[in-house]
Amino acid sequence: MRRGFPKALTMLVLVGIFGGASAIPVGAQTAKIGFVNLQRVVVGSKRGKEVLAALQAEKDTKQRDIEAEEKKIRQMEVDLEKQRSVLSEDAKKERERSIRDRTRDLRRTVEDLNRSFAEREQDVQQQLLREVTAVVRTYGKEGGYQMILEVRAAGVMYGSEGADLSDEVIAAYDASMGKK
């Protein structure tokens, strides 16, 4: 139920702005409203691309390490099967235990890495969103906007291309990151 509340509030604000439009005197300034797709800004900005690419490169490196360990475990299994008839019972049990232990350790490593990367990716996304939000606020103030909506959060189902400020916000964000 709480999920629909922000959308309902946004709709009430929009109805208030546009519903009262007939009461605005002729010649008065109309409300300047735009919208932004924050996800598109994050993914399309230079900083977003760099940060997300670095995270992906690290994931890829870890994935290669995991695949190498899986290959070693498979080779251990193949070697055990080839040598099973000549190995003593204790040697077979020792190799089987070693394979189980390495498989278990690898599974735990994968789970830990997945959890770690999910947390880091969320942290990175949140940091980028905070930075972009600050840029949107500055852009809105400087551009004289009464309101800039986020496409997904506000539930914008239609907006003209002229009202989509995503490309302008990407440029402003890229420019602000160049100053730091």
Side-chain angles (χ1 to χ4, degrees):
M1 182 170 248
R2 294 197 37 60
R3 222 166 181 208
F5 181 71
K7 286 184 181 180
L9 181 61
T10 303
M11 292 308 292
L12 284 174
V13 170
L14 290 175
V15 167
I17 290 171
F18 293 116
S22 61
I24 297 174
V26 176
Q29 184 178 358
T30 59
K32 192 171 178 184
I33 299 174
F35 66 88
V36 174
N37 182 330
L38 287 179
Q39 189 63 34
R40 192 172 118 213
V41 173
V42 166
V43 173
S45 67
K46 289 177 187 175
R47 177 160 160 71
K49 288 177 184 176
E50 290 168 358
V51 170
L52 295 174
L55 190 60
Q56 186 61 46
E58 189 176 343
K59 278 175 143 177
D60 292 345
T61 299
K62 296 292 184 185
Q63 182 62 38
R64 283 191 295 276
D65 293 346
I66 289 168
E67 289 169 358
E69 182 63 17
E70 286 174 339
K71 186 176 180 181
K72 288 177 186 175
I73 292 171
R74 282 192 305 270
Q75 187 59 50
M76 289 173 69
E77 290 170 337
V78 167
D79 292 345
L80 174 61
E81 286 306 312
K82 286 180 182 176
Q83 298 170 359
R84 189 173 287 280
S85 61
V86 295
L87 290 173
S88 69
E89 199 57 39
D90 288 341
K92 283 187 253 182
K93 286 181 181 181
E94 176 59 30
R95 286 193 183 185
E96 289 169 348
R97 186 193 56 74
S98 177
I99 291 170
R100 274 193 317 274
D101 289 350
R102 284 183 82 162
T103 301
R104 183 195 62 234
D105 291 345
L106 179 61
R107 187 173 32 254
R108 286 180 183 164
T109 299
V110 168
E111 290 170 359
D112 290 345
L113 284 172
N114 286 339
R115 190 173 20 264
S116 172
F117 276 117
E119 290 170 2
R120 286 181 54 208
E121 192 170 43
Q122 185 166 2
D123 290 345
V124 164
Q125 289 275 350
Q126 291 300 318
Q127 177 61 34
L128 291 170
L129 286 173
R130 280 191 296 276
E131 293 171 3
V132 170
T133 299
V135 169
V136 169
R137 287 187 177 130
T138 301
Y139 184 85
K141 287 177 186 174
E142 292 174 358
Y145 286 86
Q146 280 71 36
M147 187 182 308
I148 297 178
L149 304 170
E150 203 287 320
V151 172
R152 293 180 190 179
V156 175
M157 295 180 68
Y158 171 77
S160 70
E161 286 184 30
D164 185 355
L165 305 174
S166 299
D167 291 333
E168 291 87 346
V169 171
I170 289 171
Y173 181 47
D174 287 346
S176 74
M177 289 296 113
K179 293 177 188 176
K180 291 184 178 184

